[in-house]
Amino acid sequence: MGTLKYAILGLLNRNDMTGYELSKEFETTLFEFWNAKHSQIYPELKSLNAEGLIQYRVEITGNVLEKKVYTITDEGRRDFLEWEETLCPIQTASKDESRLRLFFLDGASPDFQQRFLADQLSQHQKHLEHLLENQKKFDEIPPADDRAFSDYLVLRGAVYREEAALQWIQECIKLSEQRSAESKK
């Protein structure tokens, strides 16, 4: 099992949740830095249960709807905390399709190059606006022993990342325009 195991254990260490609630956490709270599909989460829950790291209880909602509510076990909490308190290397490379396309952009027409960069700029601006809107949920920096503090730190990192991406793309646009003008001379 990989990091998904610890993402799920970490969420269950905070609160008991259904598989649906876990999926929603990946779509909202964790989406800035970790993702998992619904089709990945449920098999992982089954494996974690088989290992004794989590357990579940069945709750009835309404007349017939059954849902499994997952809880971390003591063994699961120990495993999670051992992982949590281990230093890890930074992630220097990730798959980023837009950067891959930019790498090969010299094969595209100058018009498309400018449209591509303008589109990337627009997407990053919209994402930054979204992050800044999310940041409004914090009136102030939460105390260090509050779980909201970690959320705040990750959100600030995402804001800084988007601000840096915007600055970089603006520089790419400027350089592209300069080179294009030079080649027309």
Side-chain angles (χ1 to χ4, degrees):
M1 279 185 244
T3 308
L4 177 58
K5 165 187 177 177
Y6 296 107
I8 291 172
L9 289 175
L11 289 169
L12 293 176
N13 193 46
R14 289 183 166 188
N15 296 305
D16 294 354
M17 293 185 203
T18 64
Y20 175 79
E21 290 168 332
L22 284 163
S23 293
K24 287 298 173 194
E25 286 294 310
F26 280 97
E27 293 172 9
T28 56
T29 308
L30 303 181
F31 81 98
E32 278 304 318
F33 54 93
W34 199 263
N35 62 51
K37 297 176 184 165
H38 188 80
S39 61
Q40 296 171 295
I41 294 169
Y42 283 93
E44 191 72 25
L45 287 170
K46 187 175 180 179
S47 294
L48 293 171
N49 185 59
E51 285 185 53
L53 301 177
I54 64 171
Q55 57 192 16
Y56 66 88
R57 65 184 181 278
V58 176
E59 292 184 357
I60 306 293
T61 305
N63 292 332
V64 289
L65 183 62
E66 289 185 1
K67 63 181 180 179
K68 292 179 180 177
V69 179
Y70 295 91
T71 304
I72 193 169
T73 63
D74 290 339
E75 183 180 345
R77 187 169 286 107
R78 280 189 299 275
D79 193 10
F80 170 72
L81 291 175
E82 182 180 323
W83 172 83
E84 174 64 16
E85 294 182 358
T86 302
L87 299 176
C88 66
I90 61 169
Q91 302 294 312
T92 57
S94 64
K95 293 180 180 179
D96 183 334
E97 184 178 350
S98 63
R99 288 184 190 224
L100 181 62
R101 288 175 184 257
L102 180 60
F103 183 80
F104 295 113
L105 201 59
D106 59 302
S109 69
D111 179 55
F112 180 77
Q113 290 176 13
Q114 292 302 316
R115 283 190 330 202
F116 178 82
L117 291 169
D119 179 65
Q120 290 294 303
L121 184 68
S122 174
Q123 288 185 55
H124 281 282
Q125 285 172 329
K126 287 177 185 171
H127 192 60
L128 177 60
E129 290 167 11
H130 169 76
L131 293 171
L132 292 173
E133 186 63 31
N134 281 351
Q135 192 172 303
K136 289 180 182 177
K137 68 182 176 185
F138 298 102
D139 297 331
E140 58 186 28
I141 299 172
D145 62 348
D146 186 329
R147 69 176 56 149
F149 181 67
S150 298
D151 187 14
Y152 175 83
L153 293 177
V154 170
L155 184 57
R156 289 299 304 148
V159 167
Y160 290 143
R161 181 192 64 223
E162 288 304 312
E163 290 172 341
L166 283 169
Q167 184 179 2
W168 171 65
I169 294 170
Q170 288 167 342
E171 181 181 345
C172 290
I173 290 170
K174 181 180 172 185
L175 291 171
S176 180
E177 289 170 348
Q178 287 174 349
R179 292 298 179 193
S180 181
E182 289 171 6
S183 67
K184 291 179 182 177
K185 289 181 181 179

